[in-house]
Amino acid sequence: MNSKDKLKPMLFSNMKNYSKSQLIKDIVAGIIVAIIALPLSIALALASGVDAAGLGPEVGIYTAIVAGFLISFLGGSRVQIAGPTAAFATIVAGIIAKKGIDGLIIATIIAGIILILLGVLRLGSLIKFIPYTITTGFTAGIAVTIVIGQLKDFFGLTFPEGVRPIETMEKVEAVGKNFSTISVDALIVGLVCLAILIIWPKIPKIGEIIPGSLIAVFAGILMVKAFGFGAKTIEDVYGKINASLPTLHFPSLSWGAIRDAASDGFTIAILAAIESLLSCVVADSMINSHHRSNQELIAQGVGNIGSALFGGIPATGAIARTAANIKNGGRTPIAGIVHAIVLFVVLLVLMPYAGMIPMPCIAAILFIVAYNMCGWRTFVHLCKTAPKSDVLVLVLTFVLTVCFDLVVAIGVGMVLACILLMKRMSDESSVTGWTYFDPDTDPDNIELKKVPQYVRVYEISGPMFFGAADRIAEITLKDFTKVLVIRMRSVPALDATAMHSLETLYDNCKKKGVTLIFSHVNEQPYKTMEKGQLVEKVGKENFCAHIDEALERASSLGFEE
């Protein structure tokens, strides 16, 4: 069985050769990640609208503790850190506002069951059928909705009694109508905290050890409590924060409630699967490892069910916190478990003081979270370089996410992507009679070519689109490989997702000092690669018309056998 399909928690595999030195590194990494997660968990809980259900920001800590522990303990990644993430904030706020906390709990439990089934049935690979343009579009859209949702607190605006906007466009309207109520004190606190969050990480050494969000929190509290700036704090808005332990809570179940929550549960499950597996892929590239996607989905399901039952909100793998774990030496799930334990201690000891955090400071932290997740450079790059059909899917998904919701955005985006794919394939397809080629007489048979040991040749066949682009990731390089030849005579079409995979392949080759050569690239793929500037990066001299020419080019580079 492929190790990536293995249903065994990574923790149990990592314990076989676990050392004392790695334990120390994991503990240090876990503590640092917990410090980073503390203000983020509070901020994301508030952005999720938990106050509408009479709950406080401690809900974010409950999520990081329960889901963080379960997902690290059962997960398929060595370094994944789980907890509340920005991607869920808008979705959760909408569910709570319309269906209450019980509606959210039922939806999260349904999502957990779906995730477990996806893992048990080994369907983790199905996530690859979500096109890159859709994930980029809705991620950018979610980032924009988070920013819009925090404008009120950042500017210290006051809404009339009874005005409680839920939808993003309603929030835009409310901010516009009540902008005259702006608080200069709140704005100054917000700007100072935002400046700290931007500048602090750039300070050598210390900026990498102590998270900027923690410094911003202390600065915000100091400005309000010591210097008398009139910005509202968490305690002013939500009352005292509950520092008690999370308790088990079962929602009142009925067939009607389950039916109403089913679509929300499906949305949470899909988003959790996409974000967690994406985080695993990023982590794999950082530590040269492979995660177990199906086991990770099972862990995500269990973690979300646990979080829901103990008063938390939906959770998934957090890319930023996972990266911080890796950078600080975490290499096993022990780091994630330590992160949950540290937050548990903080909940019991320090949570009452969290009520002193100013709301503009929370808004500033979420602005940075939104900026880091939006991927605007990727968005702009795709708009400039991707085929028009892919750009249409990207922009439409983005607009629908902002103006409506994620369910509509993903649904419409997927339908449109499939229609455009079918059109693209039909445009490139043709029906011809079969012609038999004897392997011994076919002049293009690769077995008849002399390929030096330092040259590795791969042939890609068939249209490369979002459903097949992951095959490019299967291309491997040996230690002695100096030249990689990609033969593309049987590739009629290339889309933005496959193009992204080729760009990643080029980057990997560049890091390892391997020269990339393409052979027989057809018209549509070449135009896409040219528009995406990959031709310029690789060099036109490394695009050859025939395999013979490509092998001659490889030999001319002067590498020794």
Side-chain angles (χ1 to χ4, degrees):
M1 182 187 293
N2 190 316
S3 62
K4 291 188 284 186
D5 294 329
K6 200 173 183 181
L7 295 182
K8 180 181 179 181
M10 195 65 80
L11 174 66
F12 303 151
S13 298
N14 289 165
M15 289 297 98
K16 292 178 182 178
N17 301 308
Y18 199 57
S19 65
K20 182 180 178 181
S21 61
Q22 186 55 56
L23 173 62
I24 294 171
K25 290 178 182 177
D26 285 338
I27 290 174
V28 171
I31 293 171
I32 292 173
V33 172
I35 294 171
I36 294 171
L38 177 62
L40 284 177
S41 298
I42 292 172
L44 292 168
L46 296 178
S48 299
V50 293
D51 59 302
L55 303 174
E58 68 274 2
V59 167
I61 306 297
Y62 293 167
T63 307
I65 292 171
V66 178
F69 180 88
L70 290 173
I71 292 172
S72 289
F73 188 81
L74 297 173
S77 170
R78 292 169 56 187
V79 291
Q80 179 90 287
I81 301 294
T85 62
F88 284 121
T90 306
I91 297 172
V92 172
I95 295 172
I96 291 176
K98 295 174 183 176
K99 301 173 184 176
I101 192 64
D102 274 7
L104 176 64
I105 294 173
I106 296 170
T108 307
I109 291 173
I110 291 172
I113 294 170
I114 293 172
L115 287 166
I116 292 172
L117 289 175
L118 286 174
V120 170
L121 297 175
R122 291 179 168 81
L123 299 176
S125 60
L126 290 179
I127 301 302
K128 71 183 180 183
F129 290 102
I130 305 292
Y132 184 62
T133 45
I134 290 181
T135 57
T136 302
F138 76 63
T139 301
I142 290 169
V144 171
T145 62
I146 289 171
V147 170
I148 292 171
Q150 296 307 306
L151 292 177
K152 174 181 181 290
D153 290 330
F154 189 78
F155 290 105
L157 305 181
T158 302
F159 289 174
E161 190 173 344
V163 175
R164 191 179 184 85
I166 298 172
E167 303 295 338
T168 302
M169 301 315 293
E170 291 176 350
K171 292 176 182 177
V172 171
E173 183 182 0
V175 168
K177 287 182 177 179
N178 298 282
F179 199 76
S180 59
T181 64
I182 185 172
S183 166
V184 176
D185 281 9
L187 179 59
I188 292 173
V189 172
L191 289 172
V192 169
C193 291
L194 189 60
I196 291 171
L197 290 163
I198 294 170
I199 297 169
W200 184 264
K202 298 178 182 178
I203 299 175
K205 294 182 180 179
I206 191 172
E208 298 177 1
I209 298 173
I210 303 175
S213 56
L214 198 63
I215 303 301
V217 163
F218 285 131
I221 292 173
L222 189 66
M223 291 178 72
V224 173
K225 297 299 181 182
F227 297 105
F229 279 83
K232 290 183 179 179
T233 64
I234 292 176
E235 190 171 285
D236 293 334
V237 178
Y238 302 103
K240 287 187 177 292
I241 296 179
N242 183 8
S244 62
L245 298 177
T247 55
L248 194 62
H249 172 70
F250 287 96
S252 53
L253 293 175
S254 66
W255 173 245
I258 294 173
R259 184 185 58 201
D260 291 344
S263 62
D264 294 324
F266 181 77
T267 303
I268 292 171
I270 294 300
L271 187 54
I274 293 171
E275 190 170 7
S276 61
L277 295 184
L278 177 61
S279 178
C280 286
V281 170
V282 172
D284 286 348
S285 67
M286 295 177 71
I287 62 172
N288 193 27
S289 178
H290 290 290
H291 69 281
R292 296 167 183 166
S293 58
N294 294 310
Q295 180 61 42
E296 182 64 24
L297 290 179
I298 292 173
Q300 292 289 334
V302 174
N304 273 282
I305 292 172
S307 176
L309 293 177
F310 282 94
I313 55 179
T316 185
I319 295 176
R321 275 160 271 175
T322 299
N325 178 36
I326 293 169
K327 289 178 182 177
N328 287 285
R331 289 295 181 275
T332 76
I334 294 296
I337 292 172
V338 170
H339 138 268
I341 293 171
V342 171
L343 286 174
F344 179 78
V345 174
V346 169
L347 174 68
L348 296 180
V349 179
L350 299 177
M351 276 308 284
Y353 299 102
M356 300 164 64
I357 302 173
M359 294 303 295
C361 178
I362 294 292
I365 290 172
L366 288 169
F367 282 172
I368 295 298
V369 169
Y371 176 81
N372 289 335
M373 76 174 289
C374 72
W376 68 269
R377 290 183 180 85
T378 302
F379 193 100
V380 172
H381 177 69
L382 285 172
C383 286
K384 288 180 178 178
T385 62
K388 291 180 180 178
S389 57
D390 288 321
V391 174
L392 176 62
V393 173
L394 171 72
V395 174
L396 187 62
T397 303
F398 170 77
V399 172
L400 290 175
T401 301
V402 175
C403 296
F404 295 95
D405 59 46
L406 198 61
V407 180
V408 174
I410 293 179
V412 173
M414 282 297 295
V415 170
L416 185 59
C418 291
I419 292 172
L420 292 172
L421 170 66
M422 289 185 284
K423 182 181 184 302
R424 184 182 293 149
M425 294 304 99
S426 65
D427 290 344
E428 296 294 334
S429 299
S430 60
V431 179
T432 56
W434 280 39
T435 303
Y436 177 77
F437 287 99
D438 191 308
D440 295 327
T441 60
D442 180 6
D444 285 339
N445 185 3
I446 193 64
E447 294 177 2
L448 301 179
K449 311 298 178 183
K450 181 181 178 182
V451 181
Q453 187 182 22
Y454 61 84
V455 178
R456 200 157 175 81
V457 180
Y458 276 86
E459 180 162 358
I460 302 175
S461 300
M464 295 308 296
F465 61 104
F466 58 82
D470 68 312
R471 294 174 190 169
I472 296 173
E474 296 174 5
I475 294 175
T476 57
L477 302 173
K478 302 293 185 182
D479 292 338
F480 49 80
T481 303
K482 299 298 181 183
V483 181
L484 175 63
V485 176
I486 304 295
R487 199 180 191 197
M488 295 180 63
R489 63 175 180 168
S490 300
V491 179
L494 185 77
D495 77 350
T497 306
M499 179 64 189
H500 175 69
S501 297
L502 287 176
E503 288 173 337
T504 302
L505 176 64
Y506 168 76
D507 291 337
N508 291 337
C509 288
K510 188 176 180 181
K511 288 178 185 176
K512 296 179 180 179
V514 175
T515 301
L516 185 59
I517 297 175
F518 287 93
S519 168
H520 197 154
V521 179
N522 291 310
E523 184 178 359
Q524 192 277 342
Y526 185 86
K527 285 182 178 178
T528 301
M529 295 164 80
E530 190 174 41
K531 192 175 180 183
Q533 300 178 345
L534 186 61
V535 173
E536 183 181 337
K537 291 177 183 177
V538 174
K540 286 189 176 181
E541 67 275 12
N542 290 324
F543 280 78
C544 304
H546 194 271
I547 187 63
D548 289 335
E549 185 182 337
L551 293 174
E552 287 175 9
R553 170 63 183 164
S555 299
S556 71
L557 294 174
F559 295 109
E560 294 290 334
E561 280 278 350

